[in-house]
Amino acid sequence: MPSRSLFNRRPLLSVGLSLSLALASVLPADAATQLRIGYQKSSTLISLLKSNGDLEKALAKQDVSISWHEFPNGQPLLEALNVGNIDVSADVADTVPVFAQAAGAQLTYFAQEAPSPSAQAIIVRDDSPLRSVGQLKGKKVAVTKAAGSHYLLLAALAKAGLKFSDIEPAYLTPADGRAAFENRKVDAWVTWEPFLSGAQQQLPTRTLADGKQLADYQRYYLTSTAFAKNNPQVLAVVFDELVKTGDWLRANPRAAAQVLSPLWGGLDPAIVEQANARRSYQVRLVQPQSLKEQQKIADAFVAEGLLPKAVNALDVTIWKAQ
């Protein structure tokens, strides 16, 4: 059986956002000589750039070096960005900035990936009696809190005429969610790529719903507002390299899977390739109108009492290439 080390548990590296805000620091006004990049296992394009050295070569022309910092998921990643421990966040799911914004974090959107609705789904075991999302009422569902899959679950339940309170949520990391699902400790699991393809190819599963017609699943790249103001030339290089890498991956899916397989804990290249086929990897500048779904996400979480306060998702800073 293919290695599942991608799903192994990693210790949390973060503190709560409330503490993060209290400790927030301001970046120096002079130009950066080192770019500190935070990323996750699922940060595909940044993982490729870390592996091939292209970004380091491009930034060396500006006498800027790079340090890389891995996080278990998007929430601690943005917490680290907010307190000034990193300068740039690799892609995070659309829900994550909404939670950070609700906590008062001062962050700047600088790029986004086009929608990838099929890159997350609600799955059950193949022999489960559950055949529809409506049948999840009263059932235990594993989901990662504040992840994109969390919003997919809310949207799918609403479409089926259910509220979030109609299910029993089990807030679990992808690693713990996979274990609970595999050992039948939960009735369903909501997850994203590459965890989704890993489960589908290694276990007998059925899909109750994916993001199509429910959740666009746009992934965003962020930076601190101070870093964006002081280092536009650095962000321009990062943006250009992300675009190039996304283009290369789409043109070379098998080669990309071979590179990513060892980076993702020896995950079978066939699983990696399937996971990547469900992501757009089309990196583009963020336009205010493209944040409309961010408002839908915020409103859905507020309505269910899962977000501490209402958020104006358009009231954010967006970096513009010069």
Side-chain angles (χ1 to χ4, degrees):
M1 180 179 291
S3 167
R4 293 201 294 266
S5 58
L6 171 61
F7 304 97
N8 290 345
R9 186 184 308 176
R10 292 182 178 271
L12 290 178
L13 303 177
S14 65
V15 295
L17 265 174
S18 58
L19 178 59
S20 297
L21 292 171
L23 298 176
S25 59
V26 178
L27 291 172
D30 54 329
T33 58
Q34 183 183 69
L35 174 64
R36 300 165 298 167
I37 299 177
Y39 67 102
Q40 311 169 64
K41 281 286 186 187
S42 57
S43 301
T44 309
L45 301 186
I46 286 294
S47 295
L48 288 172
L49 286 169
K50 182 175 182 291
S51 176
N52 63 28
D54 285 353
L55 183 57
E56 281 153 324
K57 293 174 186 175
L59 287 175
K61 298 174 183 177
Q62 297 184 21
D63 294 322
V64 176
S65 62
I66 300 176
S67 63
W68 307 89
H69 307 269
E70 185 178 336
F71 293 82
N73 57 61
Q75 188 171 358
L77 180 53
L78 290 199
E79 289 167 5
L81 180 64
N82 185 57
V83 300
N85 289 335
I86 58 173
D87 304 308
V88 164
S89 162
D91 54 301
V92 295
D94 39 21
T95 55
V96 182
V98 168
F99 275 80
Q101 189 179 354
Q106 299 298 308
L107 305 174
T108 293
Y109 288 74
F110 83 91
Q112 70 179 162
E113 291 180 12
S116 301
S118 296
Q120 52 182 358
I122 305 170
I123 59 175
V124 295
R125 295 295 293 258
D126 190 54
D127 58 359
S128 169
L130 302 176
R131 297 284 171 178
S132 69
V133 173
Q135 293 177 314
L136 289 176
K137 185 173 183 178
K139 302 301 182 182
K140 192 171 186 178
V141 181
V143 63
T144 301
K145 189 174 185 179
S149 55
H150 196 172
Y151 174 65
L152 168 61
L153 179 58
L154 289 183
L157 290 172
K159 184 178 180 180
L162 298 178
K163 292 184 174 295
F164 194 69
S165 57
D166 288 327
I167 65 163
E168 181 184 351
Y171 288 127
L172 299 171
T173 65
D176 290 337
R178 167 66 185 253
F181 183 75
E182 190 168 353
N183 294 309
R184 301 178 184 274
K185 302 295 185 182
V186 295
D187 298 294
W189 183 28
V190 196
T191 192
W192 65 94
E193 296 294 359
F195 309 103
L196 175 60
S197 287
Q200 289 174 329
Q201 291 201 22
Q202 294 170 342
L203 298 170
T205 70
R206 280 186 292 105
T207 299
L208 296 185
D210 65 11
K212 291 191 291 289
Q213 308 301 316
L214 290 172
D216 282 347
Y217 192 55
Q218 299 183 92
R219 295 184 68 90
Y220 291 92
Y221 298 79
L222 296 101
T223 183
S224 74
T225 301
F227 190 88
K229 178 181 178 181
N230 297 328
N231 299 279
Q233 74 286 354
V234 173
L235 289 181
V237 171
V238 176
F239 179 83
D240 289 344
E241 291 300 324
L242 286 170
V243 172
K244 292 176 187 177
T245 305
D247 291 345
W248 178 84
L249 186 154
R250 293 195 307 278
N252 301 275
R254 184 158 300 180
Q258 292 292 340
V259 173
L260 289 165
S261 173
L263 301 180
W264 288 354
L267 197 63
D268 189 326
I271 295 177
V272 178
E273 190 169 351
Q274 175 178 300
N276 285 340
R278 293 171 173 169
R279 290 271 299 273
S280 72
Y281 296 120
Q282 295 176 341
V283 179
R284 58 194 187 184
L285 294 172
V286 180
Q287 301 297 322
Q289 61 268 26
S290 72
L291 297 177
K292 289 181 179 179
E293 190 175 45
Q294 295 295 89
Q295 191 62 58
K296 289 174 57 180
I297 290 169
D299 294 344
F301 278 101
V302 169
E304 292 288 357
L306 299 171
L307 202 64
K309 65 177 183 180
V311 166
N312 179 357
L314 299 181
D315 186 20
V316 294
T317 304
I318 299 175
W319 176 77
K320 297 180 180 179
Q322 297 179 348

